[in-house]
Amino acid sequence: MGEGINGGASSLAAALHDHWFLIGPAGGSPRPPARYKHAAQVVQDKLYVVGGSRNGRSLSDVQVFDFNTFTWSALNPTRDSNQLNHENNAAVRSFPALAGHSLVKWKNNLVIVAGNTRLTSSSNRVSVWLIDVETNIWSAVDTYGEVPTARGGQSVSLLGSRLLMFGGEDNKRRLLNDLHILDLETMVWEEVKTEKGGPAPRYDHSAAVYADQYLLIFGGSSHSTCFNDLYLLDLRNLEWSQPDTQGAHIAPRSGHAGTMIDENWYIVGGGDNASGSTDTIVMNASKFVWSVVTSVSARDQLACEGLTLCSTTVDGENFLIAFGGYNGKYSNEIFVLKLKARNLVQPRLLQSPAAAAAAASVTAAYAVITSTNEKTKDIISTDDFDIKKPKPASYSKKFVAEIDVVKGEKDKLESRLAEVRDENSKLKDKLDLTNLSYGELAKELKSVQNQLAAEGSRCQKLESQIAASRKRLESAASLENELEVLRQQISQVEQTMTTTQRQKSGGVWKWVAGSAEVSDDE
């Protein structure tokens, strides 16, 4: 993080690009109470901070930081007289204490939506309040239609005169993933039924509208885990999808804050229930490419949850403005970051086939950057180079124009180089995964080979056993032959004995018959 700034808009213009700076109030003016889970918005060079939580207590104040004078002040808005009853009740006149709510600017009003409130008169439905920044009058708004259940930790995005509210956690700690639209012209709510495949129920996520057609949802948490997924809702056909992102790996986070500038979605802070997120990241919404803008230390106040992130323009340059949050202690500091210009790129889905040739030229661009770096470093400074600074009289307009051209080319080449490095990082991750898979497959192959070798050895043993069995069977056949011969011999012996017995039996009868004949002769 850079050093603190104590001054007006000119001090902001002198800040380095893509570095966070602490804003200190001028003249030692007092700061507002530290807080988190508040809501904030920049309107006409002023940062409006509404409500929040501190030590378990919701806050009801409205604080304003003026970027022209670098001073804080309390707004103390007055209740709309048409909504006052005859009782002189301070609770009725004071703006309600809120935490976990959302805030958008619409016309001359700050529109505050949902959030946790302890008002006894509040129902179990989402409440809406308006603060007119010109008249300093606030009012509670009656809404109609399908009014959503009360909640906190939701996301609210503005599309024209419609508010898109997604998800959150209700008063019974039930997580939600419903989508509701509030028409600010009629103050009528409508629940939108989307196709299946949307985000899981969650709270403390971030959302943004891109190209007046898509709603983006990122991160958030359930009661047990944090997310780093990205969902896209096409508002024309109400179909959800999960785009394939490229570039830097983004860790899961919840309680972060985001803001969309052109096609770049900037996100800061948040955490994963173990530590705070230290990187400020940006996603190019037309190509779904993540990159890291800058990082802070783990103990930095920006590595926190429940902070807010807004944007503003000073002298044609874009600034991010972060306020508050909690990372073990509550914060009431303002941090600003001057954004380096990022080239607009054609949407990935609309690129022509010639884009492949353009990507191939990035390799050559890297060589050009390397070879020309030494030649240009004496005349071109780094990110903080500002052509608006006074030039010596000896500098000609032509020379300044040439510097502008060279700087512009350098920025383009560096942007292309960053994309190539991001792609190379992703390819390296894929290669590491492939190598890991190859190693696992090699182990499986070795195991299979060992199993085949064991089965081969077992087969050889079985073949030996089969051969021995065959020999035994052959021996058995020979024994059967011998047994058959013996049987035949036994049969022959038995036949011989039978014949002999018959012959002996015939001689007796013959002898008996012969004896009878002798007796007759006598």
Side-chain angles (χ1 to χ4, degrees):
M1 191 194 317
E3 299 176 355
I5 296 178
N6 298 83
S10 59
S11 299
L12 294 177
L16 296 175
H17 288 92
D18 289 352
H19 287 77
W20 284 107
F21 284 84
L22 172 65
I23 292 289
S29 61
R31 293 179 172 87
R35 68 195 67 200
Y36 85 134
K37 291 190 176 181
H38 51 281
Q41 189 63 257
V42 174
V43 181
Q44 298 176 353
D45 297 332
K46 293 181 179 179
L47 174 67
Y48 289 81
V49 177
V50 178
S53 176
R54 176 183 174 87
N55 297 326
R57 182 174 62 89
S58 297
L59 305 177
S60 61
D61 58 342
V62 180
Q63 302 287 339
V64 182
F65 184 82
D66 191 326
F67 284 100
N68 293 315
T69 61
F70 271 45
T71 56
W72 282 102
S73 62
L75 185 61
N76 297 320
T78 303
R79 181 73 181 267
D80 187 345
S81 59
N82 295 325
Q83 297 184 345
L84 291 175
N85 52 29
H86 298 290
E87 299 178 3
N88 188 14
N89 191 337
V92 175
R93 296 178 178 272
S94 301
F95 191 79
L98 296 172
H101 49 289
S102 301
L103 169 64
V104 298
K105 177 187 177 297
W106 180 65
K107 296 184 178 180
N108 296 327
N109 300 302
L110 299 177
V111 184
I112 300 96
V113 184
N116 302 313
T117 178
R118 295 183 179 179
L119 289 177
T120 57
S121 60
S122 63
S123 66
N124 192 34
R125 298 296 177 184
V126 164
S127 298
V128 179
W129 300 269
L130 297 180
I131 299 178
D132 191 318
V133 295
E134 292 188 353
T135 63
N136 195 25
I137 293 176
W138 75 272
S139 59
V141 180
D142 292 328
T143 58
Y144 309 94
E146 301 171 301
V147 182
T149 183
R151 65 192 68 197
Q154 69 290 322
S155 63
V156 170
S157 306
L158 182 64
L159 177 58
S161 61
R162 296 181 297 166
L163 286 182
L164 283 64
M165 183 177 71
F166 175 82
E169 181 186 42
D170 70 10
N171 296 335
K172 297 181 180 179
R173 298 204 67 206
R174 290 180 301 186
L175 297 178
L176 307 169
N177 63 346
D178 50 353
L179 177 65
H180 299 264
I181 295 180
L182 174 63
D183 188 327
L184 295 175
E185 298 288 354
T186 62
M187 290 300 171
V188 174
W189 283 101
E190 176 187 1
E191 182 175 4
V192 179
K193 300 297 184 181
T194 60
E195 297 295 328
K196 296 181 179 179
R202 64 190 63 201
Y203 71 114
D204 286 352
H205 53 279
S206 58
V209 172
Y210 172 63
D212 292 337
Q213 180 178 334
Y214 304 102
L215 176 65
L216 299 168
I217 303 292
F218 170 73
S221 67
S222 65
H223 292 149
S224 60
T225 186
C226 292
F227 305 109
N228 64 345
D229 48 4
L230 175 69
Y231 283 86
L232 180 146
L233 176 65
D234 190 327
L235 296 173
R236 296 174 303 179
N237 54 28
L238 299 179
E239 292 183 355
W240 287 103
S241 62
Q242 275 192 281
D244 293 329
T245 59
Q246 302 178 8
H249 172 73
I250 305 302
R253 65 195 66 202
S254 173
H256 50 282
T259 186
M260 180 75 79
I261 302 177
D262 296 325
E263 60 184 7
N264 296 309
W265 192 14
Y266 294 90
I267 293 174
V268 65
D272 59 358
N273 297 326
S275 60
S277 299
T278 60
D279 50 353
T280 299
I281 56 178
V282 59
M283 188 193 73
N284 185 299
S286 67
K287 296 185 69 177
F288 305 115
V289 176
W290 287 106
S291 57
V292 177
V293 178
T294 187
S295 297
V296 297
S297 66
R299 301 179 64 87
D300 195 281
Q301 292 180 354
L302 284 168
C304 65
E305 62 175 297
L307 75 169
T308 52
L309 184 67
C310 309
S311 63
T312 190
T313 302
V314 178
D315 293 336
E317 294 194 272
N318 293 317
F319 287 81
L320 299 181
I321 302 170
F323 174 77
Y326 178 81
N327 65 347
K329 64 178 182 179
Y330 298 96
S331 173
N332 60 353
E333 303 286 3
I334 297 178
F335 295 91
V336 298
L337 182 146
K338 182 166 71 170
L339 293 169
K340 180 171 64 177
R342 284 169 169 79
N343 295 330
L344 296 178
V345 296
Q346 188 177 7
R348 183 170 59 185
L349 298 177
L350 301 180
Q351 286 181 339
S352 65
S361 68
V362 177
T363 304
Y366 176 76
V368 172
I369 293 175
T370 304
S371 61
T372 59
N373 184 55
E374 294 298 324
K375 296 180 182 179
T376 59
K377 68 179 182 179
D378 293 333
I379 60 174
I380 301 178
S381 62
T382 56
D383 294 340
D384 60 336
F385 184 88
D386 191 348
I387 63 173
K388 297 179 182 179
K389 296 179 180 178
K391 308 291 190 302
S394 58
Y395 279 41
S396 66
K397 294 183 178 179
K398 181 179 179 180
F399 185 64
V400 172
E402 291 177 352
I403 291 177
D404 291 343
V405 172
V406 173
K407 181 178 181 296
E409 292 297 325
K410 175 175 175 288
D411 290 342
K412 291 180 181 178
L413 294 175
E414 287 179 343
S415 177
R416 293 180 181 177
L417 179 59
E419 292 182 5
V420 170
R421 285 174 174 169
D422 289 340
E423 186 66 22
N424 287 343
S425 176
K426 187 173 182 179
L427 290 175
K428 183 178 180 299
D429 292 340
K430 290 183 179 180
L431 179 60
D432 292 340
L433 181 60
T434 301
N435 290 336
L436 180 61
S437 300
Y438 172 77
E440 294 297 328
L441 290 175
K443 291 180 181 179
E444 292 183 8
L445 178 60
K446 185 65 176 178
S447 177
V448 171
Q449 288 174 341
N450 293 336
Q451 293 177 6
L452 288 175
E455 291 296 327
S457 177
R458 183 168 173 270
C459 288
Q460 289 180 353
K461 291 181 180 179
L462 289 175
E463 288 177 354
S464 299
Q465 294 176 358
I466 291 172
S469 298
R470 284 176 178 174
K471 289 181 179 180
R472 288 195 296 270
L473 289 174
E474 290 175 356
S475 299
S478 177
L479 290 174
E480 286 182 356
N481 292 333
E482 292 178 2
L483 181 60
E484 182 65 26
V485 172
L486 289 175
R487 285 174 179 170
Q488 291 177 359
Q489 291 177 355
I490 291 172
S491 177
Q492 290 176 358
V493 170
E494 288 178 347
Q495 290 177 358
T496 302
M497 290 178 65
T498 301
T499 304
T500 302
Q501 289 177 357
R502 287 179 178 177
Q503 290 176 353
K504 288 181 179 181
S505 178
V508 171
W509 286 107
K510 186 177 181 181
W511 177 76
V512 172
S515 298
E517 290 178 356
V518 172
S519 298
D520 292 336
D521 290 338
E522 290 180 352

